[in-house]
Amino acid sequence: MRSSNVYDVTEWSAGNPHEDIGAVINGIIADIRRRQAVADLNDGGKPGAVIYIPPGDYRLKTQVVIDISFLRIAGSGHGFTSSSIRFNTPRDQLRQWHEIWPGGSRVIVDIAVQPGAAEGDGAAFLVKRAGNPRISSVEFADFCIDGLHFSGGSGDEAENSYRNGKTGIHVASANDSFRITGMGLVYLEHGVVSHHTDACAIESNFIAECGNCIELRGMGQASRIASNLIGAGYDGHSIYAENFGGLLVSGNNVFPRGRSSIALSGVVRSSITGNRLHSFYPGMLVFSGNCSENLVASNHFFRDREPWAPMTRYDNGLDDQFGLLHLNGDNNSVMANHISESIDTQYLKPANERPVIIRIVSGKGNYVANNHIVATTESSHASDAPNSECFATQVEAILATKNLTALEVIAVKIEPGASHNTVLDSGSDAQVLMDRSVNAFRGTPVPGQLAGNLTP
């Protein structure tokens, strides 16, 4: 017998989900609230419900407002495909493409966002509830949220602006045990924003070509961001968290072009492990606001230059003295990471200065050990590949390991005022800059050199 707590948006009696799925889902939530009105009925009473979105295109003109716990909204396919490649491909070529738009269970955000509107006003799904207990166990799974167009500019620049005022999922209230899994989010200024988050799992999603991808704001604890494919715009963060404890960031593949790969502010006792991070700019990992007692281990960092012609004019505004890893805080451990930088020296800023890899701006008790830093340079050439060849252009750039020569870098730089930090085997004597009277140092051995820089 079919459960009365399972809904299909295409079978709901009021409204047309293809014209406005938001109004349909709000009607379903109202029905759930009406039928599950008693908080304590035979040791239960409010089991929640599942709302199913079959594969198809569904416009969302009315914001979905969720104020009930134990709700799962699920589809049958995240449907992601690159909108950035499409909008940078000449129209005559698009006529030969097999498909043009994202697919799967696709929600098209068609909300008119007014200038100066609050961030939550442009959200497709707004989760908001006052009172106790916190709203709990809301799940989003296996469907696509598509912002359709960016609009922060004029002409062709608009679609590369990463701005449209739209958000996929905005959780405005304190929340517990949310899950966001298997989703595809594309062309949104903000993918997922969650405030006051506890025990949330954001995993196995494809969140890319968004201005910002994942933002944990306010404060929170004990959550996991894992196994996602993520890529923000040059003015936003791929992963951002603030005032958080016990955050796990693991196994993510973070694409280039974000202002940062991971940016944390006031985050403590958390772990960043086993991620693959790729960036076109400095500031891949940023700790601000006295981040302390965090573990950064066994990650692969790779920084090179944007090779795809339509996007080479953009950057995040930071120069190479900022550091690939830019750290403020105490007692953090940065260990056993592989860090590669491969860039033509003509693109370094400022010119004739060694780029900084790991920079400790402030703090004490930080432990930097056994990081393998590979810095190389080669002559780069402007790509003459057509705009549609983004994939081939980027893969060729990543695979380019021949004809490389060593690039002189500052492997670790500890700013004056930071003290009682330890740097072990993360750069040679000449590659590490710090006050060694107040910090501890052991250099990486250099082949052909004995201790004290003596040769046999």
Side-chain angles (χ1 to χ4, degrees):
M1 182 176 68
R2 181 174 179 178
S3 171
S4 59
N5 294 322
V6 177
Y7 298 81
D8 184 323
V9 296
T10 62
E11 297 176 0
W12 186 241
S13 58
N16 183 336
H18 298 286
E19 294 180 357
D20 188 2
I21 192 173
V24 170
I25 294 178
N26 284 339
I28 292 172
I29 291 172
D31 186 68
I32 298 167
R33 196 185 303 110
R34 178 187 60 79
R35 292 191 306 100
Q36 299 180 16
V38 181
D40 186 5
L41 177 64
N42 194 27
D43 298 329
K46 290 193 173 184
V50 174
I51 300 175
Y52 176 60
I53 305 173
D57 294 323
Y58 305 89
R59 291 194 175 273
L60 185 145
K61 298 178 180 178
T62 303
Q63 181 180 76
V64 174
V65 179
I66 298 171
D67 59 359
I68 58 173
S69 295
F70 319 125
L71 178 68
R72 176 181 173 88
I73 302 176
S76 290
H78 69 74
F80 184 95
T81 192
S82 174
S83 292
S84 179
I85 295 176
R86 176 180 70 252
F87 286 125
N88 284 284
T89 296
R91 291 183 178 274
D92 60 333
Q93 294 184 29
L94 291 178
R95 288 195 291 268
Q96 303 171 24
W97 282 29
H98 296 292
E99 58 266 341
I100 303 295
W101 302 100
S105 300
R106 178 184 176 221
V107 174
I108 303 167
V109 185
D110 203 8
I111 295 173
V113 183
Q114 301 302 317
E119 188 175 276
D121 291 348
F125 295 86
L126 176 65
V127 182
K128 186 175 183 179
R129 186 177 78 179
N132 291 314
R134 298 168 296 175
I135 191 167
S136 299
S137 301
V138 174
E139 302 181 42
F140 299 89
D142 302 317
F143 66 95
C144 175
I145 306 177
D146 181 5
L148 198 63
H149 292 283
F150 287 129
S151 55
S154 59
D156 294 339
E157 296 295 312
E159 297 292 2
N160 292 329
S161 70
Y162 294 95
R163 296 188 181 278
N164 58 13
K166 298 177 181 180
T167 300
I169 300 166
H170 187 104
V171 185
S173 305
N175 59 92
D176 187 23
S177 59
F178 276 39
R179 290 183 181 274
I180 300 173
T181 58
M183 296 290 292
L185 277 65
V186 60
Y187 259 51
L188 300 156
E189 188 166 336
H190 300 272
V192 175
V193 179
S194 183
H195 294 260
H196 307 304
T197 303
D198 191 358
C200 176
I202 302 175
E203 52 194 11
S204 300
N205 301 288
F206 204 117
I207 308 174
E209 298 177 4
C210 292
N212 299 268
C213 294
I214 297 172
E215 301 164 80
L216 303 181
R217 297 192 173 273
M219 62 181 181
Q221 67 170 353
S223 295
R224 182 174 69 249
I225 300 173
S227 302
N228 298 286
L229 297 162
I230 312 173
Y234 48 82
D235 212 20
H237 304 296
S238 289
I239 298 173
Y240 174 81
E242 62 188 20
N243 306 318
F244 225 92
L247 177 64
L248 299 179
V249 181
S250 179
N252 299 286
N253 199 328
V254 180
F255 308 148
R257 206 170 289 129
R259 176 179 174 85
S260 66
S261 300
I262 300 174
L264 306 180
S265 177
V267 171
V268 302
R269 300 184 178 115
S270 297
S271 297
I272 301 171
T273 57
N275 300 283
R276 182 262 181 182
L277 311 172
H278 182 189
S279 179
F280 294 141
Y281 323 121
M284 297 181 69
L285 173 65
V286 178
F287 282 5
S288 62
N290 195 35
C291 292
S292 299
E293 298 181 41
N294 298 296
L295 173 65
V296 180
S298 300
N299 300 286
H300 191 290
F301 295 84
F302 174 49
R303 190 263 164 129
D304 63 349
R305 183 176 184 272
E306 170 73 72
W308 190 39
M311 300 300 293
T312 54
R313 75 191 75 173
Y314 306 104
D315 65 26
N316 68 353
L318 299 175
D319 68 35
D320 292 285
Q321 298 301 297
F322 187 82
L324 296 187
L325 285 67
H326 183 96
L327 310 177
N328 294 269
D330 303 329
N331 302 308
N332 298 293
S333 296
V334 181
M335 305 186 301
N337 298 286
H338 183 105
I339 307 173
S340 293
E341 174 157 355
S342 185
I343 190 167
D344 192 325
T345 55
Q346 69 176 307
Y347 299 116
L348 293 175
K349 299 182 296 184
N352 303 317
E353 295 284 343
R354 290 187 294 166
V356 177
I357 305 301
I358 300 173
R359 182 182 175 196
I360 298 177
V361 180
S362 66
K364 62 182 184 299
N366 294 293
Y367 184 78
V368 179
N370 297 307
N371 297 287
H372 186 199
I373 296 170
V374 180
T376 57
T377 183
E378 69 168 346
S379 178
S380 59
H381 304 280
S383 174
D384 59 359
N387 289 358
S388 59
E389 294 299 324
C390 176
F391 171 74
T393 303
Q394 292 186 346
V395 172
E396 287 171 4
I398 293 173
L399 296 179
T401 58
K402 295 181 179 180
N403 304 317
L404 299 177
T405 58
L407 173 67
E408 291 189 8
V409 298
I410 298 171
V412 182
K413 182 178 182 180
I414 300 180
E415 296 291 348
S419 64
H420 298 86
N421 300 288
T422 300
V423 178
L424 305 176
D425 300 319
S426 296
S428 68
D429 185 83
Q431 292 175 323
V432 177
L433 300 182
M434 65 182 188
D435 184 346
R436 299 183 189 183
S437 68
V438 293
N439 297 287
F441 171 69
R442 184 181 70 202
T444 305
V446 178
Q449 293 184 3
L450 299 178
N453 294 321
L454 299 175
T455 55

